[in-house]
C-alpha cells in the first residue's frame, strides 16, 4: 500500500491487522502502517489487532514507538505477549482485540462453496514454519495420527489449494495439525479437533495466547510430543469465551 493511493477525505482510517509491525515482512517500519503517511490529513487513525514479533518490538526502539503512538488515536494488538512486552520495554499500553477472522461467527464461513469435491474426515496438515533440521517432523506427526485414526492426510502446505478449498478442508477435517495461527483459528471456528505445535521460535504467541485465553491449552503441543488420538475439546466453553472476546473487540471498534 502506498500513501499516494490513500484517499484523503475520510474522518477515520482503520489499519490492521496481522504483521504490520513485523520488520522482516515490511522491510523496515512502513510509513503507511505506522500512520506517518496518513496523519497529515488530520483524521482519526485506529489500529486494529496489529501483530508483530518480539524481535521487531525490540528493534523499533523507544523513539519509533513514541512516533507510532503519536500517530494513532487508538491502537490495539492481537497477542497479549507482545502487548506485555511493549509495556515492559517502553511503558506503552495497548488494547487487545481478536483477529478479524473471528469477528464473525460460523454462519459467515458456512457460505463458502467450492467447485472441487472436498474429501471429508481427513487429517489436515498446514505447516508455515519449521525449525531447521526438523522440516518433516510435523508431517510425520500428521501421518502418525492418520494411521491411528484410519484417515487420509491432506497437506495444505503445498499451496496448490484455492482459498475456499483451504477453508473447506479445515471445516470437514477429522483433525487439524498445524504451526499456523489462521489454521488454528479456522479449526476453532468450525469446532474441529486441533493440534497447534509450539516451535519456541518467538512466533508461537500468535496462537498460544489465543488458545490459552479460551481454555483450549490442551491443543498446544511441543514439537517432540507424540499424538496418537484426537484431542478432547470443550467447544461449548471455547465458543462462549470466543463470543465474549468477539463482543469486546466489536465494542473497541464502536467506541472509537
Amino acid at each position: 500500500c502506498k500513501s499516494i493511493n490513500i484517499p484523503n477525505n475520510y474522518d477515520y482510517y482503520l489499519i490492521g491487522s496481522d504483521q504490520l509491525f513485523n520488520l522482516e515482512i515490511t522491510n523496515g517500519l512502513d510509513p503507511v502502517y505506522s500512520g506517518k503517511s496518513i496523519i497529515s490529513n488530520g483524521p482519526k487513525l485506529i489500529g486494529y489487532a496489529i501483530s508483530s514479533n518480539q524481535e521487531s518490538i525490540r528493534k523499533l526502539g523507544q523513539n519509533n514507538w513514541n512516533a507510532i503512538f503519536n500517530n494513532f488515536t487508538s491502537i490495539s494488538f492481537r497477542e497479549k505477549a507482545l502487548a506485555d512486552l511493549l509495556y515492559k520495554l517502553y511503558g506503552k499500553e495497548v488494547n487487545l482485540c481478536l483477529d478479524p477472522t473471528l469477528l464473525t461467527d460460523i454462519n459467515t464461513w458456512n457460505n463458502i462453496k467450492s467447485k472441487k469435491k472436498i474429501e471429508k474426515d481427513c487429517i489436515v496438515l498446514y505447516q508455515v514454519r519449521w525449525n531447521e533440521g526438523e522440516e518433516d517432523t510435523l508431517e510425520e506427526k500428521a501421518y502418525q495420527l492418520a494411521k491411528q485414526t484410519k484417515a487420509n492426510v491432506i497437506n495444505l502446505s503445498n499451496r496448490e489449494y484455492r482459498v475456499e478449498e483451504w477453508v473447506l478442508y479445515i471445516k470437514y477435517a477429522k483433525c487439524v495439525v498445524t504451526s499456523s495461527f489462521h489454521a488454528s483459528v479456522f479449526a476453532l471456528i468450525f469446532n474441529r479437533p486441533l493440534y497447534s505445535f509450539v516451535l519456541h521460535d518467538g512466533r508461537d504467541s500468535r496462537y498460544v495466547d489465543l488458545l490459552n485465553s479460551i481454555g483450549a491449552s490442551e491443543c498446544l503441543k511441543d514439537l517432540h510430543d507424540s499424538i496418537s488420538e484426537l484431542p478432547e475439546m470443550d467447544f461449548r466453553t471455547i465458543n462462549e469465551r470466543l463470543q465474549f472476546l468477539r463482543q469486546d473487540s466489536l465494542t473497541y471498534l464502536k467506541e472509537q
Side-chain angles (χ1 to χ4, degrees):
C1 182
K2 296 182 179 180
S3 57
I4 59 173
N5 299 322
I6 299 175
N8 59 8
N9 57 340
Y10 290 96
D11 296 324
Y12 294 85
Y13 291 80
L14 185 67
I15 293 180
S17 62
D18 217 354
Q19 304 291 301
L20 302 191
F21 295 159
N22 186 329
L23 301 181
E24 297 174 9
I25 294 176
T26 59
N27 293 318
L29 187 59
D30 186 273
V32 174
Y33 294 158
S34 64
K36 183 178 179 181
S37 299
I38 299 176
I39 57 170
S40 59
N41 300 323
K44 287 189 174 182
L45 182 60
I46 313 300
Y48 182 80
I50 292 173
S51 186
S52 180
N53 57 31
Q54 294 187 14
E55 184 179 1
S56 294
I57 296 289
R58 292 186 171 91
K59 279 187 175 180
L60 280 168
Q62 186 76 61
N63 290 338
N64 279 321
W65 282 114
N66 286 342
I68 290 170
F69 273 79
N70 285 335
N71 293 342
F72 282 82
T73 306
S74 180
I75 190 168
S76 65
F77 266 53
R78 199 175 67 185
E79 292 92 7
K80 184 178 185 299
L82 296 182
D84 289 346
L85 181 62
L86 192 60
Y87 181 77
K88 177 182 177 181
L89 294 178
Y90 311 113
K92 303 296 185 181
E93 292 190 42
V94 297
N95 295 279
L96 289 175
C97 288
L98 286 178
D99 186 82
T101 52
L102 289 165
L103 284 181
T104 183
D105 60 24
I106 191 174
N107 294 321
T108 298
W109 303 108
N110 277 336
N111 291 322
I112 293 179
K113 308 294 181 183
S114 173
K115 295 180 180 179
K116 179 179 178 179
K117 184 178 180 180
I118 303 298
E119 186 177 351
K120 299 180 181 181
D121 295 323
C122 295
I123 303 300
V124 170
L125 169 67
Y126 186 59
Q127 184 175 9
V128 294
R129 301 160 35 241
W130 49 82
N131 292 334
E132 186 176 353
E134 297 180 307
E135 291 83 355
D136 299 326
T137 302
L138 206 59
E139 184 175 3
E140 292 170 359
K141 293 187 180 298
Y143 275 96
Q144 176 190 33
L145 183 60
K147 182 178 180 180
Q148 295 296 324
T149 58
K150 297 180 172 56
N152 293 327
V153 173
I154 296 294
N155 189 349
L156 299 179
S157 312
N158 56 22
R159 301 184 181 182
E160 294 179 357
Y161 297 91
R162 298 171 63 90
V163 172
E164 64 272 19
E165 295 167 1
W166 187 94
V167 171
L168 290 173
Y169 272 116
I170 291 179
K171 177 180 179 178
Y172 296 116
K174 177 172 284 189
C175 185
V176 176
V177 178
T178 189
S179 59
S180 157
F181 171 80
H182 282 105
S184 300
V185 162
F186 277 93
L188 295 173
I189 288 172
F190 292 118
N191 286 186
R192 305 317 302 155
L194 167 69
Y195 283 121
S196 295
F197 279 84
V198 179
L199 306 186
H200 305 288
D201 61 355
R203 303 177 184 180
D204 299 315
S205 62
R206 300 173 192 174
Y207 44 89
V208 169
D209 285 3
L210 174 64
L211 293 172
N212 283 333
S213 71
I214 59 174
S217 56
E218 70 275 7
C219 298
L220 295 167
K221 292 292 181 180
D222 188 85
L223 196 58
H224 300 108
D225 291 339
S226 62
I227 52 173
S228 58
E229 58 186 10
L230 301 180
E232 295 183 6
M233 299 176 64
D234 181 2
F235 280 112
R236 179 177 179 178
T237 298
I238 289 170
N239 292 335
E240 288 176 351
R241 293 184 180 180
L242 277 176
Q243 179 60 19
F244 174 82
L245 294 173
R246 181 179 296 121
Q247 291 303 318
D248 197 46
S249 297
L250 290 171
T251 297
Y252 168 79
L253 288 172
K254 291 175 182 178
E255 291 182 346
Q256 303 308 315

